[in-house]
């Protein structure tokens, strides 16, 4: 997290909110342990899952600068370069190969077509790679409008699409297509020559990656296709998404729940118990009425993100558009607290979205609205932006004295 420590800490009322939430989770955990519906280890793991993303967002909100998103983009580029060979070797290796062993030494249980492992890359499970792909695509798309970062962003985007195709994850494919689709739509709506050419270039590159993957790895792609067919026959995909988003509204729950962590996969692995896969249902089961309020808040974030895309996307920077799109998807059908990798990815997404929107607001005072999505703020440091604003103030002060002269 050292990438954000470039300026003095800003005061924030959210520090108080964070500590109040911490005390509340500790109290709920203690009550659940006393009621014997949870264990100390389970409560500690559960509290970590809820608080870790909030802590990272709070940290970045106080120390983040105009360079933070560019730093995230460079970090993602490096991770793409590392994960490309790892994912390739994983899907080409047998299920029992050392590179495909799960944490604890067991064979991977995530297999497509009975022979091809669902890749996890450098993460402990495929869910971590899924979160990384979505975040990476959103951040890389924002870098296409910056001349200084365009080459790196193109390489990252192509690498991430290649990873998504080989990963065997429907979620990685779905969220990548949604983010790309909204980005292309907004680019075409803006109607400028550069945005139109950029849109056609992205479509051509995506088609080339898919075609190259199918030619180079036919067995992997066939097993992936078979998984899609099997899943469509055995489950209702649209019903599952609706249940993820709204199922908590009709599910029963007790007032204070069974305690934080009592139904999370990390705590269940250590302490035993029943794992609840659907996140909002898990929140209500663990935290009761507080979990229900969190689920309502998550749904509210999704509605806000969709409304933002409908009403303000045309004036936002092309970095903000894919980030808000991914936030809308994650708050509707994604996970926030499933695993540590997921928690970290979601925290970075929220922080990057907040920084990008804030930079848009600041930059609009200097440049006006974004006519072509060029990432002016992404190429400027916080010091440069501050100096420009100071120059405007000095010019205003001088002009105020002209009549007296």
């Amino acid at each position: 997290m050292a990438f954000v420590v470039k300026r003095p800490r800003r005061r924030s009322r959210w520090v108080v909110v964070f500590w109040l939430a911490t005390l509340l989770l500790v109290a709920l955990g203690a009550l659940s342990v006393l009621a014997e519906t949870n264990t100390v280890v389970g409560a500690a793991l559960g509290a970590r899952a809820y608080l870790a993303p909030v802590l990272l967002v709070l940290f970045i909100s106080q120390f983040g600068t105009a360079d933070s998103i560019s730093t995230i983009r460079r970090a993602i580029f490096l991770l793409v370069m590392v994960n490309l060979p790892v994912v390739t070797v994983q899907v080409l290796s047998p299920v029992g190969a050392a590179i495909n062993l799960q944490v604890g030494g067991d064979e991977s249980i995530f297999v497509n077509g009975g022979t091809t492992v669902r890749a996890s890359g450098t993460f402990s499970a495929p869910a971590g790679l899924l979160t990384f792909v979505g975040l990476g695509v959103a951040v890389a798309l924002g870098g296409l409008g910056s001349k200084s970062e365009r080459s790196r962003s193109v390489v990252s985007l192509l690498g991430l699409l290649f990873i998504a195709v080989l990963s065997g994850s429907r979620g990685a494919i779905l969220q990548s297509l949604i983010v790309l689709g909204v980005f292309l739509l907004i680019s075409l709506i803006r109607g400028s020559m550069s945005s139109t050419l950029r849109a056609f270039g992205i479509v051509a590159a995506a088609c080339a990656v898919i075609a190259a993957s199918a030619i180079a790895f036919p067995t992997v792609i066939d097993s992936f296709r078979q998984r899609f067919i099997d899943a469509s026959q055995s489950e209702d995909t649209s019903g599952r998404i609706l249940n993820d988003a709204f199922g908590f509204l009709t599910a029963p729950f007790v007032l204070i729940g069974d305690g934080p962590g009592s139904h999370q996969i990390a705590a269940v692995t250590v302490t035993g118990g029943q794992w609840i896969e659907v996140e909002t249902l898990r929140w209500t089961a663990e935290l009761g009425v507080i979990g229900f309020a969190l689920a309502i808040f998550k749904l509210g974030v999704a509605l806000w993100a969709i409304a933002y895309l409908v009403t303000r996307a045309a004036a936002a920077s092309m970095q903000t558009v894919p980030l808000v799109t991914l936030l809308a998807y994650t708050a509707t059908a994604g996970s926030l607290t499933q695993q540590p990798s997921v928690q970290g990815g979601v925290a970075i997404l929220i922080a990057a979205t907040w920084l990008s929107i804030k930079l848009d607001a600041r930059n609009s005072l200097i440049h006006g609205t974004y006519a072509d999505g060029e990432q002016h703020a992404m190429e400027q440091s916080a010091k440069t932006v501050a100096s420009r604003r100071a120059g405007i103030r000095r010019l205003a002060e001088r002009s105020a004295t002209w009549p007296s002269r």
Side-chain angles (χ1 to χ4, degrees):
M1 297 193 298
F3 73 91
V4 295
V5 187
K6 297 180 181 179
R7 62 181 300 171
R9 182 178 66 87
R10 295 186 287 265
R11 295 182 181 275
S12 174
R13 67 175 67 95
W14 295 108
V15 175
V16 177
V17 175
F18 170 78
W19 285 114
L20 288 176
T22 301
L23 291 175
L24 182 60
L25 282 172
V26 170
L28 288 175
L31 288 174
S32 66
V33 172
L34 292 175
E36 297 184 350
T37 59
N38 202 356
T39 65
V40 175
V41 174
L45 291 173
R48 189 281 313 274
Y50 287 106
L51 293 175
V54 180
L55 181 60
L56 179 57
V57 172
L58 179 64
F59 188 85
I60 295 178
S61 70
Q62 294 194 84
F63 293 96
T65 71
D67 292 330
S68 296
I69 296 180
S70 296
T71 306
I72 293 172
R73 190 175 293 117
R74 289 192 294 270
I76 287 176
F77 171 77
L78 294 176
L79 285 174
V80 170
M81 295 299 100
V82 172
N83 276 276
L84 270 172
V86 174
V87 168
T88 303
V89 174
Q90 283 179 329
V91 298
L92 294 177
S93 300
V95 176
I99 197 170
N100 287 326
L101 296 180
Q102 297 184 143
V103 176
D106 297 327
E107 288 188 0
S108 175
I109 61 174
F110 304 100
V111 182
N112 292 331
T115 57
T116 303
V117 171
R118 285 179 56 189
S120 58
T122 57
F123 303 92
S124 59
L129 185 65
L130 183 155
T131 304
F132 169 70
V133 167
L135 177 64
V137 168
V139 174
L141 285 173
L144 297 179
S146 172
K147 292 181 180 180
S148 62
E149 299 191 72
R150 185 170 298 155
S151 299
R152 187 186 300 118
S153 297
V154 169
V155 174
S156 294
L157 182 60
L158 296 178
L160 287 162
L161 292 177
F162 182 76
I163 290 173
V165 171
L166 293 187
S167 67
S169 170
R170 292 175 296 165
I173 294 291
L174 179 61
Q175 66 182 359
S176 298
L177 290 177
I178 290 175
V179 172
L180 281 170
V182 173
F183 183 86
L184 295 175
L185 178 62
I186 299 300
S187 297
L188 293 175
I189 289 175
R190 293 187 175 184
S192 66
M193 181 61 70
S194 61
S195 62
T196 302
L197 292 175
R198 186 183 305 136
F200 281 112
I202 293 173
V203 172
C207 293
V209 168
I210 295 174
S213 302
I215 295 172
F217 306 99
T219 304
V220 176
I221 301 302
D222 286 343
S223 64
F224 194 2
R225 181 178 56 83
Q226 186 60 45
R227 180 170 182 268
F228 266 89
I229 295 174
D230 294 341
S232 64
Q233 295 174 348
S234 61
E235 68 178 27
D236 180 7
T237 303
S238 60
R240 178 178 178 179
I241 294 176
L242 289 174
N243 185 52
D244 288 347
F246 305 106
F248 71 96
L249 294 173
T250 57
F253 61 89
V254 297
L255 184 62
I256 63 173
D258 296 329
S262 55
H263 299 290
Q264 291 180 14
I265 189 169
V268 168
T269 301
V270 176
T271 63
Q274 181 183 4
W275 174 51
I276 299 178
E277 181 180 6
V278 179
E279 185 166 65
T280 50
L281 295 180
R282 184 170 66 248
W283 290 356
T284 56
E286 290 185 351
L287 305 181
V289 67
I290 296 175
F292 186 86
L294 283 176
I296 291 290
F297 178 75
K298 179 185 178 184
L299 190 59
V301 170
L303 294 176
W304 169 85
I306 294 172
Y308 184 96
L309 292 172
V310 173
T311 60
R312 303 185 63 184
S317 70
M318 293 307 283
Q319 176 61 87
T320 301
V321 169
L323 287 173
V324 174
T325 303
L326 181 60
L327 183 63
Y329 171 86
T330 302
T332 303
S335 176
L336 278 67
T337 59
Q338 182 179 359
Q339 294 173 342
S341 298
V342 174
Q343 297 159 20
V346 170
I348 294 173
L349 169 63
I350 296 172
T353 304
W354 179 84
L355 285 172
S356 187
I357 292 175
K358 187 174 181 180
L359 286 172
D360 286 356
R362 178 186 300 174
N363 208 48
S364 65
L365 298 176
I366 300 173
H367 301 283
T369 57
Y370 289 86
D372 186 33
E374 293 296 330
Q375 304 300 309
H376 301 286
M378 304 309 169
E379 297 180 357
Q380 300 169 343
S381 64
K383 181 178 179 180
T384 303
V385 173
S387 65
R388 291 193 178 190
R389 297 182 68 181
I392 293 173
R393 288 196 296 269
R394 287 195 298 269
L395 181 60
E397 292 172 357
R398 291 177 182 176
S399 62
T401 63
W402 288 345
S404 63
R405 295 180 182 178

